[in-house]
Amino acid sequence: ALVALRRGRRRVMRAAWLAAVLACCGAAHAASPTLIGTWTGTSTCTAAARAACKNEIIVYRFVRRDAQHAILYADKIIAGKREAMGALDMQLSTGDRQASKHFAHGNTSGTWAYTMLSDSALTGTLIVDPGNTLARKVEAHRVEDKDMLPAPALGDYGTPD
């Protein structure tokens, strides 16, 4: 009876250990990071961009709107301050590791597209119409918003396109 009791305890201990490992480490693998969060880096004009295009240091915040969309709040850093550039209602795809949006603003229309290269690296492009011309390239890395310069008020971004 004592041997059976010890075996029973060992089984319970193994089951508890396995449950702890799965809860700790299994969950980390199951929930892969998404592009939701804050990113900073550069937005660089290509040779094909309009003459008015300027290279920028950017801060992007992707905030989930619903299961298939995120609002992108885009800032540029000018004279040590974050300035709102606008907000886009982005379509999420590929496990929330990609986002894109076709837009029209004034005389410009095109598609912004972003892809996570890793859990901490983001790349993006702006392809403008007509002619599907690559106008901008974005390279960014994940950061904590609290570690960045203060963000503009949400009202400064306007209504997401």
Side-chain angles (χ1 to χ4, degrees):
L2 186 57
V3 173
L5 181 61
R6 286 184 181 158
R7 284 185 190 149
R9 284 185 182 162
R10 283 188 201 134
R11 286 184 186 138
V12 169
M13 292 300 291
R14 282 188 205 134
W17 178 83
L18 181 59
V21 167
L22 290 175
C24 163
C25 305
H29 293 292
S32 182
T34 70
L35 60 72
I36 303 301
T38 304
W39 302 82
T40 189
T42 58
S43 177
T44 307
C45 304
T46 67
R50 295 189 310 195
C53 188
K54 298 203 180 342
N55 295 339
E56 300 164 339
I57 298 172
I58 52 94
V59 178
Y60 288 165
R61 285 180 291 159
F62 290 90
V63 177
R64 184 174 299 284
R65 181 173 70 82
D66 61 33
Q68 289 87 30
H69 297 90
I71 304 299
L72 166 58
Y73 295 99
D75 304 333
K76 59 185 171 184
I77 306 291
I78 295 183
K81 183 179 172 190
R82 277 169 74 170
E83 292 191 9
M85 292 189 286
L88 289 174
D89 188 358
M90 308 293 292
Q91 175 75 44
L92 296 171
S93 63
T94 313
D96 296 348
R97 294 176 69 88
Q98 293 183 337
S100 62
K101 172 68 177 183
H102 189 271
F103 73 96
H105 185 75
N107 293 332
T108 304
S109 65
T111 301
W112 281 103
Y114 300 95
T115 299
M116 287 178 63
L117 299 176
S118 70
D119 293 346
S120 61
L122 181 74
T123 187
T125 57
L126 169 60
I127 307 292
V128 294
D129 304 326
N132 292 327
T133 304
L134 177 63
R136 281 191 173 274
K137 292 182 181 180
V138 174
E139 300 294 332
H141 62 276
R142 188 182 297 277
V143 293
E144 293 291 326
D145 200 60
K146 66 179 176 56
D147 296 335
M148 301 303 299
L149 295 165
L154 289 179
D156 293 349
Y157 295 91
T159 304
D161 290 337

